[in-house]
Amino acid sequence: MANNVQLYFDKEDFVRDIVVQFPKSADYFRSRRIDFCCGGNRPLHEAAAERNMDVEELLVDLAQLVADHPDAEEGDSWAVAESADLIGHIVNKHHRYLREELPELKKSVMKVSRVHGESGPHLIEVEHLFGQLMSELLEHTGKEEAEVFPKMINWELGQEDEVLSKLRSSIEELEAEHDAAGDILKKLRELTGDFVPPAHACTTYRMTYARLEELEGMTFTHVHLENNILFPRYTKA
C-alpha cells in the first residue's frame, strides 16, 4: 500500500455508516460522485465498483482524511443528537434553504432556458426537470413539517404503538420521494455535463449551473440526515 496511514474503515462498511460515523467523509464522497444518501445502503466496495474506482485507494484517502481532521465535525455529529434537535436543524437549515433558494434559482433556470435554449435544447429539459424537482421538494418539506415531524416528537413523548405504525408508513413514502428527487438530480447532472457550463456561457449561465450543483450537495446532505440518522430511529424502534 502506497500510504502507511492507519485504516479506520473497511471495504465492507456501508457508505452511509461511514458518513454517520465521520461526517467529514460526505465532502469526500460528494467530490468522487459517490452517493451516500439514497444510494448509501451498500458496502463501499460496491459503490467503488460502480464508479470504476479502486476501493483500496478510497480507504487510504478516508484514513488520511481522518488523520488530517481528528476533531472534524465534533460539534456537528447529529447521530447522537436528540431527535427534536435534529428535526429543528433540518427545518431551520435545510427546509429554510429550499424555501429561499428554489424560487430564486427558478428565475435563473428560466432565464437561461429562454435566452440559450435555442442553441442548447438541453436547457429546456433542465427547466422542466427543475420545475418538477422544486414542486416535489416543497410539497415534501411541507408534509414533513405539518404531519411527520410532529408525530415523531409525539412518539418520543408517549411511545404509542399506533403512532409508530403510522410513522413507519409515512417514512416509506418520504424515502420514495427522496429517491425520486435523487433521480431528478442525477438527470440534471447528466444533462449539464456535471454542471460544467460551455466556454461561451454568460455569467448568469455559469451562476445557474453553480447553484444547481450547490442544490444537489445540500439535498444529498439533507436526505442523508433523514434516511440514515433520523428515520431509522423509528423504523427500527
Side-chain angles (χ1 to χ4, degrees):
M1 189 173 295
N3 198 316
N4 292 323
V5 296
Q6 178 184 352
L7 297 184
Y8 291 87
F9 303 108
D10 185 88
K11 65 181 181 179
E12 297 295 338
D13 288 340
F14 278 25
V15 176
R16 67 177 184 187
D17 294 336
I18 294 174
V19 176
V20 170
Q21 182 178 344
F22 183 55
K24 186 68 177 176
S25 63
D27 296 335
Y28 174 74
F29 286 133
R30 189 179 296 114
S31 71
R32 302 303 296 267
R33 308 293 182 237
I34 294 176
D35 187 355
F36 59 86
C37 52
C38 298
N41 188 27
R42 57 180 171 170
L44 181 63
H45 68 84
E46 287 187 10
E50 182 182 280
R51 299 290 298 161
N52 294 317
M53 295 175 178
D54 180 358
V55 68
E56 296 299 329
E57 178 184 341
L58 297 184
L59 287 169
V60 169
D61 286 350
L62 287 168
Q64 188 63 59
L65 195 62
V66 172
D68 292 343
H69 302 84
D71 299 318
E73 314 292 348
E74 185 176 357
D76 193 27
S77 181
W78 294 106
V80 296
E82 295 291 336
S83 294
D85 293 335
L86 176 54
I87 288 170
H89 171 73
I90 291 170
V91 170
N92 295 325
K93 180 175 182 177
H94 292 282
H95 288 193
R96 180 179 179 182
Y97 166 80
L98 290 173
R99 291 195 177 106
E100 293 178 352
E101 175 67 8
L102 290 175
E104 294 303 314
L105 183 50
K106 179 181 179 180
K107 298 175 186 176
S108 298
V109 169
M110 291 178 65
K111 181 177 180 180
V112 171
S113 175
R114 184 177 65 253
V115 175
H116 301 281
E118 185 173 345
S119 59
H122 70 285
L123 295 170
I124 298 173
E125 180 64 11
V126 167
E127 180 184 0
H128 170 73
L129 286 172
F130 177 81
Q132 181 182 347
L133 179 65
M134 176 176 173
S135 176
E136 292 181 5
L137 285 176
L138 292 179
E139 181 179 351
H140 175 88
T141 55
K143 182 195 305 182
E144 287 184 333
E145 291 183 26
E147 302 173 20
V148 182
F149 288 168
K151 288 179 183 175
M152 288 179 173
I153 300 301
N154 287 339
W155 185 81
E156 294 281 350
L157 296 174
Q159 306 226 340
E160 298 175 2
D161 290 341
E162 182 179 353
V163 173
L164 186 60
S165 177
K166 292 179 180 178
L167 263 178
R168 287 173 172 167
S169 177
S170 296
I171 286 172
E172 287 182 7
E173 294 178 8
L174 294 177
E175 288 179 334
E177 292 170 5
H178 286 166
D179 290 342
D183 289 341
I184 294 175
L185 287 167
K186 288 178 183 177
K187 291 177 183 176
L188 287 171
R189 177 169 282 279
E190 292 170 2
L191 282 169
T192 59
D194 289 331
F195 302 109
V196 177
H200 67 269
C202 65
T203 300
T204 300
Y205 199 150
R206 294 177 182 277
M207 177 271 292
T208 300
Y209 271 28
R211 290 175 75 169
L212 283 171
E213 187 167 28
E214 179 187 71
L215 172 64
E216 179 195 63
M218 286 289 286
T219 302
F220 282 174
T221 300
H222 179 179
V223 171
H224 163 68
L225 290 173
E226 293 185 355
N227 277 16
N228 301 334
I229 299 179
L230 181 63
F231 292 169
R233 298 179 179 183
Y234 305 93
T235 56
K236 297 179 180 179

